[in-house]
């Protein structure tokens, strides 16, 4: 049995559809209830719905053998897992955004609000800019509007949230997409099953354009 941590939400539904098409169906998962664990012994698979930012914790600690996590989470927390596939789903980018009229003159420490302090810290270190990080947990776009920060480092998907709050992208930090990740010891002990699953998932990736 392979234990799979799925990210709850819209991305998770697309991810499950990929597993289903890859031969790991589990019909009970489509029943609309509040259950979080579903299994199909015939297909050799058990699914858990977890918060997207927690998938890598379940996989790193072996509570799940495999899972699907955003590259943003992998870059921020650097979990000790194998990243085997880019699923070409959940595509967006990590970007620096600010009020339209903001210009960084570089004459003082830049105040950066973000949910991703490690990604933001590494990005500004790479361009040699001194920053003061303000760690927030959501609704990051409010920070520059209220003067809490000069800029934000956040996920931009359609750009609607920025637009509706009169902010704009100033720089792209890195493109993001969903990745298939594997626990290191599961990979050692369930090599054949996990390699088979990886190959089957790889065949589905091309349909995600
Ligand atoms: C994410 C991100 C942006 C928004 C970007 O927020 O932090 O706010 O989505 O998407 P868009 O470019 O398509 O508008 P999320 O919905 O995860 O909420 P939170 O960060 O406020 O928790």
């Amino acid at each position: 049995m392979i234990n799979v941590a799925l990210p709850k939400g819209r991305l998770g539904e697309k991810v499950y559809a990929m597993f289903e098409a890859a031969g790991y169906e589990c019909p009970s998962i489509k029943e609309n209830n509040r259950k979080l664990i579903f299994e199909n012994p015939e297909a050799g698979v058990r699914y858990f719905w977890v918060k997207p930012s927690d998938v890598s914790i379940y996989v790193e600690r072996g509570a799940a053998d495999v899972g699907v996590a955003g590259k943003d989470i992998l870059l921020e927390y650097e979990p000790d897992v194998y990243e085997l596939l880019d699923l070409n789903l959940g595509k967006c980018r990590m970007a620096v955004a600010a009020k339209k009229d903001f210009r960084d003159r570089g004459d003082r420490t830049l105040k950066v609000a973000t949910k991703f302090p490690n990604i933001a810290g590494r990005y500004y270190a790479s361009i040699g800019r001194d920053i003061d990080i303000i760690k927030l947990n959501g609704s990051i776009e409010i920070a520059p509007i209220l003067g809490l920060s000069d800029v934000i480092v956040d996920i931009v998907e359609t750009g609607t949230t920025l637009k509706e709050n009169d902010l704009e992208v100033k720089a792209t930090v890195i493109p993001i997409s969903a990745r298939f990740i594997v626990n290191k010891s599961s990979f050692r002990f369930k090599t054949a099953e996990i390699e088979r699953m990886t190959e089957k998932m790889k065949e589905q990736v091309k349909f995600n354009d």
Side-chain angles (χ1 to χ4, degrees):
M1 185 81 97
I2 300 186
N3 294 299
V4 184
L6 291 174
K8 227 194 279 184
R10 210 160 46 92
L11 172 66
E13 280 160 29
K14 289 187 190 162
V15 169
Y16 170 71
M18 268 185 93
F19 277 102
E20 187 178 60
Y24 298 93
E25 71 285 346
C26 183
S28 59
I29 208 167
K30 291 188 168 165
E31 290 162 16
N32 189 14
N33 58 31
R34 304 282 292 170
K35 260 179 74 155
L36 297 172
I37 303 182
F38 299 88
E39 66 178 61
N40 179 2
E42 286 89 71
V45 75
R46 180 190 290 132
Y47 293 103
F48 320 127
W49 288 119
V50 308
K51 200 171 153 125
S53 52
D54 289 341
V55 167
S56 66
I57 301 173
Y58 284 83
V59 175
E60 181 176 37
R61 291 177 174 267
D65 299 303
V66 307
V68 173
K71 186 67 179 172
D72 51 335
I73 299 299
L74 302 177
L75 289 169
E76 181 61 25
Y77 299 103
E78 300 185 316
D80 190 19
V81 298
Y82 295 127
E83 183 188 318
L84 297 188
L85 283 178
D86 181 342
L87 298 183
N88 207 22
L89 276 182
K91 286 198 277 188
C92 53
R93 58 182 163 149
M94 186 69 65
V96 177
K99 289 206 274 195
K100 289 177 181 159
D101 59 3
F102 176 76
R103 296 282 174 278
D104 181 9
R105 289 189 210 88
D107 51 354
R108 59 179 174 79
T109 303
L110 187 71
K111 288 188 282 176
V112 181
T114 187
K115 267 197 291 199
F116 303 94
N118 294 323
I119 294 175
R122 285 199 299 268
Y123 170 71
Y124 281 104
S126 78
I127 59 171
R129 181 73 175 95
D130 272 344
I131 59 165
D132 176 14
I133 290 193
I134 300 155
K135 165 81 167 71
L136 297 177
N137 299 300
S139 301
I140 317 294
E141 291 82 0
I142 289 177
I145 297 168
L146 300 183
L148 178 65
S149 73
D150 300 309
V151 301
I152 63 175
V153 169
D154 199 16
I155 300 282
V156 178
E157 192 182 351
T158 61
T160 310
T161 311
L162 291 181
K163 202 168 162 212
E164 297 204 343
N165 290 289
D166 291 320
L167 303 175
E168 67 180 16
V169 169
K170 300 290 184 183
T172 293
V173 175
I174 195 157
I176 302 291
S177 56
R179 308 297 164 101
F180 179 65
I181 59 172
V182 178
N183 172 272
K184 289 189 167 176
S185 64
S186 298
F187 193 63
R188 186 142 29 96
F189 294 110
K190 300 185 182 177
T191 314
E193 297 101 301
I194 291 175
E195 278 182 344
R196 184 168 178 274
M197 180 178 265
T198 307
E199 284 310 308
K200 293 275 174 200
M201 289 297 276
K202 203 178 200 169
E203 289 167 14
Q204 299 302 316
V205 170
K206 58 177 176 288
F207 301 115
N208 291 341
D209 270 327

